[in-house]
Amino acid sequence: IVLDPVAAIVFSVALGIAVDDTIHVMARSREEHHGGRHLRYAVARAVVLCGGPTIVSSAVLAVGFGTIALSSFQTVRAFGGLGFVAVTVAIVSDLLVFPPLLYLFSRRGTRDEPLVRSASDVDYI
């Protein structure tokens, strides 16, 4: 695919979607962690709570882009195909790649923190 204005537009749209979903997961992880939970548990809980809505919204966008990819106009078809791939990669990255990186690069994820602080945390997910 030639890098042209269509690719730039798709990149901008996909980056916006990916950043939005990433911010949701990051903010929820921070809320859970500041609520007294271990960072690993907070990140896992954020993925569980934000994962469903993130998947649904991204799936709707991916289907929309996939529909546009069926166009007979080549520029619109490229926009739809690139958008579909970009949104799909963004959602997979947000839910599978970003959480471990968030945990690994956090300064608060020390090993001496308990994984579960109380019995009520166990059935909280």
Side-chain angles (χ1 to χ4, degrees):
I1 295 174
V2 177
L3 294 177
D4 56 0
V6 172
I9 292 170
V10 171
F11 174 75
S12 300
V13 170
L15 185 64
I17 293 166
V19 167
D20 181 55
D21 292 341
T22 303
I23 288 172
H24 284 294
V25 173
M26 188 184 310
R28 188 59 186 201
S29 297
R30 187 171 187 222
E31 286 176 12
E32 293 291 330
H33 187 59
H34 285 285
R37 289 173 175 60
H38 184 269
L39 183 63
R40 186 180 313 160
Y41 181 80
V43 171
R45 181 155 164 74
V47 170
V48 168
L49 293 176
C50 295
T54 301
I55 289 171
V56 169
S57 65
S58 295
V60 169
L61 285 168
V63 167
F65 279 122
T67 303
I68 293 172
L70 300 175
S71 172
S72 60
F73 188 50
Q74 202 279 330
T75 305
V76 173
R77 185 172 50 240
F79 177 78
L82 284 171
F84 176 82
V85 170
V87 169
T88 304
V89 169
I91 188 62
V92 169
S93 298
D94 281 334
L95 297 179
L96 297 178
V97 176
F98 177 68
L101 292 177
L102 180 64
Y103 180 74
L104 286 174
F105 291 111
S106 175
R107 295 180 190 159
R108 300 177 189 204
T110 58
R111 293 183 181 259
D112 56 347
E113 293 179 11
L115 182 59
V116 178
R117 294 183 63 117
S118 67
S120 64
D121 285 349
V122 174
D123 56 358
Y124 204 73
I125 290 183

